[in-house]
Structures are given as structure tokens and as C-alpha cells.
Amino acid sequence: MEPDTSLDAIVIGAGFAGIYALHKLRNELGLAVRCFDKADGVGGTWHWNRYPGAKSDSEGFVYRYSFDKEMLQQWSWTNRYLEQAEVLEYLNAVVDRHDLRRDIQLETAVTSVRWDDSLAQWEVRTESSKVYRSKYLITALGVLSEPNTPEIPGIEQFSGQVVHTSRWPDGLEVAGRKVGVIGTGSTGTQFICTAAETAQQLTVFQRTAQYSIPSGNGPIDQEYLDRCRSNYDAIWDQVRNSIVGCGFEESTVPATSVSEAERTRVFEESWQRGNAFHFMFGTFNDIIFDPAANLAAADFVRDKIAAIVDDPDTARKLMPSGYYATRPIANKGYYETFNRSNVSLVSIKDNPITRLNENAVVTADGTEHEIDLLVLATGFDAVDGGYKKMHLTGRDGTPISDLWNETTAAYLGIATHQFPNMFMVYGPNSVFTNLPPGIETQVEWITELIRQAETRGSAVVEVSETAVRAWAQLCDDIANASLFPKAHSWIFGANIPGKTSRALFYFAGLGNYRRVLADESDADYPNFTFHSDDHTSLEREHASIPQ
Ligand code: FAD
Ligand code: NA7
């Protein structure tokens, strides 16, 4: 089949990142762009994750794009946090407003991508064996897109349904059913709170107890919307200069600098206010750095669990014991849910699952926990999962999985050596933040880099290996100065058996991250090489400055 050579850029993924990349590259730079997604609708995360209770845990006023000022004034939402359907509707509206749908090709899984050095182009092959070539490749594959599905012995004997939360089929109801759920991360806890309301019986299989902070979710009114709308310039300014980009000022006060009574007062105020990011970053500034501060926050949550949960044994099982240092989890009434008579908790740390039989989950103590629906809220092969799944090869046929075998890394989370003209949105080592402002930051920066390449008539833009390694090291160093690596979680790849655990994010905050990006572009991209149009000579127009 003849390749389609009509495109300047190919975007893979039609979530927040891919939609914006298509808009910037096509509508602003005037490139010929096509966006592929294997899903049958746009929206990425919000297309795939339709489980009961799916919602944002960033507050709605900052879980959106900032670029479309008119839309910020017009678009409404109903609760402090956004329901899955609301985000999906919003993203579809963005696609239509900016006339993007005609260049989005759905139900198109990209199965292999190859850099062709002789043509200085990317060759993209889809599941239906169609081949496309383009100068630029934007991978917007999503940090939480590739499901982690554990193998459970006996699954083939189970007569009920097994479903991963990120592949929830339309129309699947939990009402009146005997539901088992494995996983108590952000997803599992959201599902548990909602499913408990209608399931006949909900059995929660918990491996690691989590710190769940009240979200404070509830309806918002017109006054709230008006306040957001009239303050948006200031809101985005604050977000872009903050650490986690969640729309509140991070604290500058160490927990260890105040009395125990004052600490308790501040934690209580945040607990009542709601928002898990606020509890971790808005109360004190040392919770993820200082073990004593972390212990104070953790003890506060444990005391709450003891006070909320009626059954002492259930309360004991729900109490987390390690550092409070995973991505914060927020729910409305998570611990309260375990006081319901139709909800039971099984600690599979103490009593592991051994197998499924025809109608039950069997645990090591021999108990058969009867269910007819098993929900896997077991998370994702985060950040690089989608890259490794796609057969992606760079210069000299180097597979990305080989390049990342030792160190999964990308300079600024955006580019890696051996993969010229390929720009990742939220590749490894991107900034740890509320994602939409992080995504906008990256897409805007990538757009400017491509604009530069086009203005210079460059055929190839490539980052130096030195820069990639130095950035990954910096991300490790920053992470290692915090308590984050001490908790077992997907933000270090530690949730996937066999995956090397290392910093998959830059933890110094959005404000600092944006300054690093600005320094790179203001200094005329010292860590990138722009090769001339005569790609065979690979003549350097631009010297790379090793760090
Ligand atoms: P995605 O939305 O994941 O989109 C990636 C797309 O790429 C997918 O549609 C996928 O089908 C497609 N794709 C991947 N590989 C291929 C391929 N080979 N071929 C074709 N298509 C491909 N973040 C926050 O900041 N705040 C929140 O409150 C929040 N809540 C979340 C709740 C849930 C349940 C989940 C799972 C994630 C949440 N996140 C949250 C993270 C969320 O993923 C991001 O906020 C954001 O939606 C990511 O957008 P994206 O475009 O980068 O990736
Ligand atoms: P997470 O945070 O990775 O949580 C996954 C959960 O599933 C967690 O409780 C895991 O326990 C559990 N898990 C994973 N594998 C197994 C196996 N094999 N057996 C038992 N339990 C298992 O994913 P989420 O989807 O909840 O959240 C990801 C992000 O999405 C989140 O941060 C938001 O941004 C939205 P463990 O803790 O590993 O013991």
C-alpha cells in the first residue's frame, strides 16, 4: 500500500494533549496534521474511564484549558469536581469549536512507528496496515492510558464479568449486584464510594491501605462560576507559577515550625475545606520532605479513620502505615462507606487472593467471597506503558524500549535523543502537576520549537543525549530529596512488577518547570541541534552545548 505523504505532522492520541496539539499545529502553524486515536471517540482518559464515580480530583475551575478565553466565560459545570461525562462533553465541545474533528481519525490504533533516516521522516503504521509519513511526530499517548491487568488464577472459570475500570462498557450497572473490587487507589476509592450506594454487596479487596482526604465535593452556584470567570487571568497566573497547579496557594510554613495544636488546627481546616492536593501542599510545605511533618499528617488521617469507622477491625485494616507520599487521593465519604452494611473489606495483604472459582474470589484462608462482577481498579502501566506497547523505533532502528531499558527519560519530558522530530506530551520526566496546565505548557513550547525549525528551514531537530541524561538525573535528585520515592506508587513505576522504579516526573513544580522551558528557548535551544535541509549531510546549524 502506498504511504500517505500529505502530512507534516502526526499526533497520536486525542485526549487533552492531542486535541490541543492538533489545534496549535494546524490552526496556528498552518501545518497539515492528522490525529489518530484507537478509541471510538475523542477525550482520552475521559472517553475510556466510565466507571461509576469517575470524576476529576482537580477542581473543575482549573481542570480545563486556559487558552480559549471565550469558552472560559461560557462553559458551565455543576460540582466542585467534574464528572467523567462533563469532561467528555467539554472536550468534544473544544474539538467542535476549533473545527478539529475533520482531522481526527478514530478507531485507528497505531501499531508501529519508525524513523526513516534516509527520508528524515516518521513512518506511522496503523492496525489496518495503512502507512503515513510525516516530518513531525507528536506522541500524546497519555500518562494513565495503558491498563495494568493482573493475572488471577482461575479467571477462566469465573461465570461473572471481569472489567478493568478504564475499559468500563456502556450500560454495565452495579445496582443490585454482588460486586468485588480489587484496588483502592484514586480510581478504586472513587468507584467504591459510588458503587456502595446501589450494589447489593460490595467486597473491597485491599492490598495497601491509602490516605483518602475529603474532596469537599458538592454543587457550585452561579456566584461561584461568576467569581471564577471574572478572576481567570489571575487564576491562571497563579496556577502557572505554582507547584501543583491546583488553584490554591501552596503553604510556605513548615509543619515542624508550629505547635502540635496549630498543626491539628491547620489539618482540620483543610480536612473540612476538602481537596487532597490542598491537604498535602496547602497546609504545610514540608509534608513530602520531612518525615516528622509527614508523620503528623499521617497520624491526623489515622485518627480520623479511627473516629469515622465503626468497626475497630475494619478501621485497623483501613489505616495506612507507610509514608503519606503517593499522588493524593480525594473522595467524598470514603471511610464512611465502610460503615454500610453492604460493604465489606478484605485485606489481601494479610489474606491474599489465591484464585477465582465459578462465583467467588477465594482467599488464602479458604473463604469464598461470592461475587458476580469483579472490578479491577488496578491502575496503569503509567507514563511509558503506551510507548513500549507501540513498536516505536528511532535512528538505526533503535526500539524505544531498548533506549529506555535502563533509564526511562526524556529531556523536559518532551524529547529524547535517537528520536528526532518526535515530541512527547507528558513523556517521562514531565512536571508533576494538575495536568491541563502542564499539558498546555508543553504543547505551546513544542509548537514554538517546531515554528523555529520551520523558520530555519531545518529538516531535523534533535535533543542531545547529555541533556536527556542530565534532566533525568535532576528529576531523580529532586525526587530523592523528598519522601515520594519511599511510597510504592505508579508515579515511580513501582506498581508494575519488574518495572524499574525511578522518578517518572519532575517534582519541582510547574512554575520552576516553566522557567526551565523559557530558559531553553530564550537561550536559542542550546540542548537541541537543528540539522539543515540537506539531511544527508546532517550539517550542524546549531551547536549543542553539553551541560
Ligand atoms: P489521555 O487522555 O490518556 O489520552 C491518550 C490517548 O492516546 C488515548 O485516548 C489513547 O486511546 C490514545 N492512544 C494511546 N496509544 C495509542 C496508539 N498506539 N494508537 C492510537 N491511539 C493511542 N489528571 C489531573 O490532573 N487531574 C485529575 O483530576 C485527573 N483525574 C483522573 C482520573 C482518572 C480516572 C484517570 C485515569 C486519570 C486522571 N487524570 C487526572 C490524569 C489524566 O490522564 C490527565 O488529566 C489527562 O486527561 C491526560 O490527557 P492526555 O491527552 O495526555 O492523555
Ligand atoms: P493506582 O493508584 O495505581 O492504584 C491501583 C490499585 O490497585 C492500588 O490499590 C494497588 O494496590 C491495586 N493493585 C494493583 N495491582 C494489584 C494486584 N495485582 N493485586 C492487588 N491489588 C493490586 O491506580 P488508580 O487507577 O487508582 O489511579 C491512577 C491515577 O488515575 C490516579 O493517581 C489519578 O490520577 C487517576 P497497591 O497500592 O499497589 O498495593
Side-chain angles (χ1 to χ4, degrees):
M1 204 180 291
E2 277 296 296
D4 180 336
T5 56
S6 63
L7 302 170
D8 300 313
I10 288 173
V11 176
I12 309 176
F16 260 102
I19 291 170
Y20 192 41
L22 173 60
H23 169 62
K24 292 289 283 185
L25 298 183
R26 194 198 73 183
N27 295 348
E28 271 188 44
L29 287 194
L31 300 182
V33 190
R34 186 151 329 144
C35 172
F36 297 115
D37 201 303
K38 60 188 171 193
D40 63 5
V42 303
T45 290
W46 305 99
H47 168 86
W48 290 109
N49 290 267
R50 294 163 184 252
Y51 58 88
K55 57 176 72 62
S56 73
D57 57 14
S58 305
E59 298 196 32
F61 74 105
V62 288
Y63 196 70
R64 56 192 60 246
Y65 297 114
S66 68
F67 78 91
D68 188 332
K69 289 196 170 188
E70 215 174 76
M71 205 169 175
L72 286 172
Q73 295 306 316
Q74 291 167 356
W75 199 259
S76 294
W77 60 105
T78 52
N79 287 296
R80 210 168 140 185
Y81 301 84
L82 306 175
E83 297 296 324
Q84 170 267 335
E86 277 183 307
V87 191
L88 194 57
E89 193 187 345
Y90 165 76
L91 288 172
N92 272 285
V94 173
V95 164
D96 289 330
R97 259 177 80 80
H98 296 281
D99 189 25
L100 299 173
R101 210 171 288 276
R102 64 187 158 93
D103 286 311
I104 299 176
Q105 197 171 310
L106 297 169
E107 296 182 89
T108 306
V110 172
T111 48
S112 80
V113 184
R114 180 178 79 89
W115 171 253
D116 185 330
D117 220 8
S118 64
L119 297 170
Q121 284 192 335
W122 285 102
E123 187 183 276
V124 170
R125 194 173 288 265
T126 68
E127 206 167 29
S128 58
S129 300
K130 287 223 169 101
V131 181
Y132 301 82
R133 288 212 184 107
S134 66
K135 179 172 175 181
Y136 299 108
L137 176 69
I138 312 296
T139 50
L141 308 183
V143 287
L144 295 160
S145 183
E146 206 48 58
N148 168 41
T149 308
E151 281 175 24
I152 306 170
I155 202 160
E156 65 292 342
Q157 288 165 20
F158 182 55
S159 60
Q161 240 173 316
V162 180
V163 60
H164 190 280
T165 44
S166 73
R167 296 294 180 269
W168 195 269
D170 274 340
L172 174 60
E173 299 284 345
V174 298
R177 299 187 69 167
K178 291 182 194 135
V179 182
V181 54
I182 301 179
T184 53
S186 291
T187 300
T189 55
Q190 283 187 349
F191 173 77
I192 289 161
C193 292
T194 303
E197 290 171 10
T198 56
Q200 182 194 123
Q201 174 65 34
L202 179 66
T203 309
V204 177
F205 297 95
Q206 170 195 277
R207 189 165 67 181
T208 308
Q210 294 288 354
Y211 298 90
S212 168
I213 307 300
S215 61
N217 200 17
I220 53 164
D221 55 20
Q222 190 59 40
E223 199 192 318
Y224 178 101
L225 282 172
D226 291 344
R227 213 169 41 242
C228 292
R229 287 173 179 157
S230 58
N231 282 314
Y232 257 126
D233 285 348
I235 287 170
W236 292 123
D237 193 47
Q238 190 278 330
V239 162
R240 291 184 194 120
N241 286 296
S242 70
I243 299 171
V244 287
C246 286
F248 60 80
E249 291 288 344
E250 284 98 2
S251 173
T252 53
V253 179
T256 46
S257 71
V258 302
S259 68
E260 194 182 334
E262 173 61 5
R263 267 201 303 272
T264 306
R265 189 195 65 75
V266 172
F267 286 141
E268 182 63 35
E269 200 173 84
S270 181
W271 186 271
Q272 297 305 331
R273 172 195 188 278
N275 186 324
F277 279 89
H278 186 272
F279 192 81
M280 188 180 269
F281 297 96
T283 50
F284 297 104
N285 70 354
D286 52 354
I287 287 175
I288 53 147
F289 296 107
D290 184 334
N294 194 275
L295 181 66
D299 278 345
F300 181 89
V301 180
R302 282 189 281 263
D303 287 348
K304 286 287 184 193
I305 297 170
I308 294 168
V309 180
D310 298 338
D311 172 44
D313 191 46
T314 305
R316 179 189 61 77
K317 287 184 199 155
L318 282 170
M319 277 193 206
S321 56
Y323 282 112
Y324 167 52
T326 59
R327 186 183 179 280
I329 295 176
N331 293 108
K332 192 169 179 188
Y334 177 64
Y335 297 117
E336 289 82 348
T337 299
F338 291 87
N339 291 335
R340 297 178 69 111
S341 58
N342 66 334
V343 177
S344 59
L345 178 67
V346 179
S347 168
I348 55 173
K349 191 162 255 170
D350 307 334
N351 183 20
I353 294 173
T354 51
R355 65 192 165 92
L356 276 175
N357 67 19
E358 201 190 340
N359 54 10
V361 172
V362 186
T363 44
D365 64 355
T367 309
E368 296 190 4
H369 306 270
E370 205 185 314
I371 56 166
D372 56 44
L373 171 63
L374 180 62
V375 176
L376 303 177
T378 44
F380 300 87
D381 185 357
V383 182
D384 58 357
Y387 288 85
K388 289 180 175 170
K389 185 160 185 204
M390 198 166 62
H391 189 65
L392 171 60
T393 56
R395 277 196 201 285
D396 308 321
T398 309
I400 195 98
S401 45
D402 282 8
L403 188 76
W404 285 351
N405 195 22
E406 261 178 50
T407 309
T408 299
Y411 180 53
L412 308 173
I414 288 175
T416 190
H417 59 294
Q418 305 254 61
F419 289 75
N421 289 4
M422 178 180 105
F423 304 111
M424 298 172 241
V425 192
Y426 264 80
N429 306 137
S430 293
V431 58
F432 181 76
T433 188
N434 170 39
L435 260 75
I439 286 170
E440 279 192 325
T441 297
Q442 290 195 341
V443 171
E444 285 161 14
W445 196 84
I446 291 166
T447 304
E448 285 315 304
L449 181 56
I450 292 177
R451 192 198 302 274
Q452 277 299 316
E454 292 298 290
T455 307
R456 293 171 194 203
S458 306
V460 173
V461 187
E462 190 168 2
V463 72
S464 79
E465 181 175 350
T466 317
V468 176
R469 289 188 183 279
W471 182 253
Q473 188 59 51
L474 178 67
C475 290
D476 272 342
D477 292 346
I478 294 167
N480 289 334
S482 79
L483 298 170
F484 277 130
K486 299 200 188 299
H488 160 99
S489 91
W490 65 268
I491 52 179
F492 286 81
N495 62 325
I496 301 297
K499 192 164 168 174
T500 312
S501 175
R502 65 169 302 153
L504 290 174
F505 289 90
Y506 168 81
F507 287 104
L510 184 57
N512 285 326
Y513 178 72
R514 288 175 63 89
R515 278 186 280 280
V516 177
L517 289 184
D519 288 349
E520 177 72 33
S521 46
D522 290 352
D524 207 13
Y525 304 101
N527 291 297
F528 287 81
T529 303
F530 291 73
H531 299 298
S532 81
D533 237 356
D534 176 9
H535 55 267
T536 49
S537 72
L538 295 183
E539 176 195 316
R540 292 192 163 204
E541 285 182 356
H542 214 72
S544 161
I545 303 172
Q547 296 195 337

